[in-house]
């Protein structure tokens, strides 16, 4: 089935010869076509160009023609870092932080990740699935057209596998691409507080083989942070994951910088995520790699912690992706439009740089760059169409507001997920 979008005010980030990702100054130099058309066939981008190149015969056989006068058509946004499957929100901890407790202090009292793990253990898979699908639908309405889902709130073999099975069910049922990441190394459960080596052994010798055997994950993650998993532990867990075919996507440098980036890169990490705290050697290691730095500005906003130095990363010639970190403790939001605003307002990215970080580079951070992230023939017709606007900055300028006219998934207007 063919669909034709015509009179597009601006068709943004078109590629005639697609590349895996953009870095440095390239992120602010994307190609646009004014007064454009875009043809969709069988859910993929078939053709695009200036309206002057479109003729009467081109409309023959087109099932629907959508007039986009005044509107911009942009690649759909991609969220490469979420914890979408969880049991319950943690609003009480939100209040605790208002009263002065830090994230680390809340975790030390049994809150944080351990709180979510305790709530998830007894929750039926069906309930976890239904609630996660509701969150996913909200995300799609604000432009998310590809997503990652991590485990990490199980912390037992049984509960981690339960989370991953829910994520895999979402992957099968979702209209947008989903990638799944195993994060058994998210925190040490209370019963292993004095036996950390025992939990590492459980992850390496029981959890990872079970995940691989059931083909439940695409990637492996570790929360490499002081008070969680140190460099040596991270190194061993990542090595075990790679041995079982799980490529690393790693939490690093959220509160401390002590070599997690280099360790991740040494294991072929696809991305390193957070990066709120950076040392000079971290920049150097990234410059020598093909690993995607991923910033999570809505986490910084919610926790009142430093923001990833995105401006510095780009100015040094590095690529950058943006994601939400959607989770019940540090980022209870999956709104990438708000992330776009934060990237511009706080991190000082241009609207175009932030767009690339939310589309092209984010797709790379999920291994989806060949099918998403830019306007290119053969890629999925996962698109967002703006309301009437005069500049790309219109979207991040209107922070907290959905400035989209519609979201197109596989060539079709998205309305709601089937139950």
């Amino acid at each position: 089935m063919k669909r034709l979008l015509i009179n597009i005010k601006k068709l943004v980030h078109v590629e005639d010869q697609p590349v895996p990702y953009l870095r440095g100054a390239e992120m602010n130099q994307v190609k646009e076509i004014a007064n454009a058309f875009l043809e969709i066939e069988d859910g993929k981008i078939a053709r695009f160009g200036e309206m002057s190149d479109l003729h009467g015969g081109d409309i023959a056989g087109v099932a629907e023609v959508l007039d986009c006068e005044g509107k911009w058509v942009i690649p759909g946004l991609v969220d490469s870092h979420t914890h979408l499957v969880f049991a319950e929100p943690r609003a009480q901890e939100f209040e605790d932080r208002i009263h002065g407790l830090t994230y680390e202090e809340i975790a030390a009292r049994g809150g944080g990740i351990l709180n979510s793990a305790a709530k998830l253990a007894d929750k039926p898979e069906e309930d976890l699935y239904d609630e996660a699908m509701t969150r996913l639908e909200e995300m799609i309405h604000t432009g998310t057209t590809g997503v990652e889902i991590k485990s990490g709130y199980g912390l037992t073999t049984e509960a981690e596998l339960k989370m991953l099975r829910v994520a895999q069910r979402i992957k099968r049922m979702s209209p947008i691409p989903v990638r799944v990441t195993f994060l058994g190394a998210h925190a040490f459960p209370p019963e292993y507080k004095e036996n950390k080596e025992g939990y590492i052994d459980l992850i390496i010798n029981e959890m990872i083989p079970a995940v691989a055997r059931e083909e439940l994950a695409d990637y492996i993650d570790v929360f490499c942070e002081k008070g969680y998993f140190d460099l040596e532990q991270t190194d061993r867990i990542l090595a075990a994951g790679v041995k079982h075919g799980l490529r690393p996507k790693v939490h690093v440098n959220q509160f401390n910088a002590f070599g997690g980036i280099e360790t991740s890169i040494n294991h072929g990490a696809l991305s390193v995520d957070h990066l709120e705290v950076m040392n000079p050697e971290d920049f150097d290691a990234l410059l020598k790699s093909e690993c995607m730095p991923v910033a999570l500005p809505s986490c910084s906003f919610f926790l009142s912690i430093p923001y990833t130095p995105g401006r510095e990363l780009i100015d040094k010639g590095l690529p950058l992706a943006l994601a939400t970190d959607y989770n019940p403790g540090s980022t209870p939001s999956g709104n990438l439009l708000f992330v776009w605003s934060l990237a511009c307002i706080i991190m000082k990215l241009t609207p175009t740089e932030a767009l690339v970080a939310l589309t092209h580079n984010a797709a790379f951070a999920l291994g989806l760059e060949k099918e998403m992230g830019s306007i290119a023939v053969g890629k999925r017709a996962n698109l967002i169409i703006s309301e009437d606007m005069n500049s790309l900055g219109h979207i991040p300028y209107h922070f907290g507001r959905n400035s989209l006219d519609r979201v197109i998934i596989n060539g079709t207007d998205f309305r709601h997920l089937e139950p």
Side-chain angles (χ1 to χ4, degrees):
M1 186 180 78
K2 288 186 179 181
R3 190 180 194 192
L4 191 61
L5 280 53
I6 62 171
N7 298 322
I8 301 167
K9 188 169 186 177
K10 283 281 184 72
L11 182 63
V12 182
H13 194 14
V14 301
E15 286 191 297
D16 297 317
Q17 295 180 317
V19 297
Y21 60 86
L22 300 180
R23 61 167 65 234
E26 296 171 342
M27 293 180 63
N28 204 38
Q29 299 170 356
V30 301
K31 182 180 177 182
E32 302 174 350
I33 300 176
N35 192 25
F37 76 91
L38 184 143
E39 183 181 290
I40 299 167
E41 186 170 6
D42 297 329
K44 294 187 177 182
I45 297 170
R47 191 162 65 107
F48 56 84
E50 298 179 5
M51 282 297 295
S52 58
D53 295 330
L54 192 66
H55 306 290
D58 295 322
I59 300 177
V62 173
E64 180 187 359
V65 177
L66 176 63
D67 192 338
C68 298
E69 185 174 0
K71 300 174 173 61
W72 295 44
V73 174
I74 301 166
L77 310 182
V78 178
D79 197 339
S80 69
H81 185 127
T82 87
H83 305 254
L84 192 62
V85 176
F86 57 84
E88 294 179 26
R90 302 202 313 248
Q92 181 57 52
E93 294 177 14
F94 171 67
E95 295 188 38
D96 290 341
R97 282 199 304 279
I98 292 172
H99 291 297
L101 291 180
T102 66
Y103 183 87
E104 294 93 331
E105 288 169 337
I106 291 169
R109 300 195 321 176
I113 296 164
L114 297 181
N115 185 7
S116 285
K119 291 177 177 178
L120 183 133
D122 297 325
K123 190 145 191 171
E125 285 190 26
E126 193 67 30
D127 292 349
L128 290 171
Y129 171 79
D130 289 342
E131 292 172 9
M133 287 294 276
T134 297
R135 296 179 198 119
L136 183 64
E137 179 163 340
E138 292 173 355
M139 293 171 70
I140 296 174
H141 280 298
T142 52
T144 298
T145 65
V147 68
E148 183 233 32
I149 303 174
K150 299 180 187 291
S151 68
Y153 295 131
L155 306 185
T156 66
T157 301
E158 179 182 3
E160 284 292 312
L161 295 180
K162 176 168 75 171
M163 287 191 73
L164 292 171
R165 291 185 187 114
V166 171
Q168 287 293 336
R169 183 178 173 191
I170 295 169
K171 185 175 185 176
R172 292 192 300 272
M173 300 303 295
S174 169
I176 69 173
V178 174
R179 294 293 181 267
V180 180
T181 300
F182 168 60
L183 180 56
H186 202 190
F188 286 94
E191 61 269 28
Y192 286 95
K193 185 176 181 181
E194 305 301 327
N195 181 22
K196 292 185 176 180
E197 189 60 32
Y199 189 59
I200 302 296
D201 181 73
L202 183 71
I203 292 172
I204 291 175
N205 295 312
E206 184 173 310
M207 289 188 185
I208 291 175
V211 170
R213 186 166 54 249
E214 296 188 37
E215 298 182 342
L216 292 176
D218 305 291
Y219 303 112
I220 187 167
D221 194 353
V222 176
F223 189 14
C224 181
E225 183 55 69
K226 290 183 179 180
Y228 292 87
F229 295 84
D230 64 25
L231 279 185
E232 189 273 338
Q233 293 162 343
T234 298
D235 181 71
R236 289 162 55 201
I237 294 167
L238 294 181
V242 170
K243 182 180 177 181
H244 284 82
L246 302 174
R247 190 173 182 185
K249 283 173 55 66
V250 190
H251 282 67
V252 291
N253 291 44
Q254 183 173 7
F255 302 108
N256 301 277
F258 54 92
I261 289 177
E262 186 171 4
T263 296
S264 302
I265 290 171
N266 288 342
H267 288 287
L270 179 60
S271 73
V272 284
D273 303 25
H274 273 295
L275 314 185
E276 289 89 343
V277 181
M278 295 284 285
N279 288 332
E281 53 266 33
D282 294 323
F283 291 100
D284 292 340
L286 287 167
L287 282 165
K288 296 172 185 175
S289 78
E290 296 297 324
C291 180
M292 180 62 66
V294 179
L296 311 169
S298 49
C299 176
S300 297
F301 170 82
F302 192 72
L303 293 182
S304 298
I305 63 174
Y307 286 74
T308 304
R311 180 74 270 148
E312 187 175 0
L313 284 161
I314 294 172
D315 288 346
K316 285 182 179 294
L318 283 160
L320 180 69
L322 293 163
T324 63
D325 194 20
Y326 193 2
N327 73 80
S330 63
T331 318
S333 168
N335 190 333
L336 281 174
L337 296 178
F338 182 57
V339 168
W340 195 343
S341 295
L342 289 175
C344 295
I345 296 166
I346 307 296
M347 297 171 66
K348 305 305 180 185
L349 273 65
T350 69
T352 300
E353 289 169 336
L355 171 67
V356 170
L358 288 163
T359 56
H360 202 148
N361 289 359
F364 179 86
L366 272 191
L368 291 171
E369 71 277 7
K370 291 183 179 179
E371 57 179 295
M372 298 185 67
S374 65
I375 306 294
V377 172
K379 288 194 174 184
R380 284 177 182 259
N382 283 11
L383 311 164
I384 54 178
I385 301 180
S386 75
E387 60 192 6
D388 287 14
M389 65 183 198
N390 293 317
S391 76
L392 190 62
H394 175 100
I395 297 176
Y397 166 79
H398 287 286
F399 71 92
R401 172 170 172 254
N402 190 338
S403 300
L404 306 182
D405 177 72
R406 67 186 73 200
V407 177
I408 294 178
I409 304 295
N410 301 320
T412 302
D413 288 5
F414 177 78
R415 291 184 171 84
H416 63 85
L417 293 174
E418 295 297 327

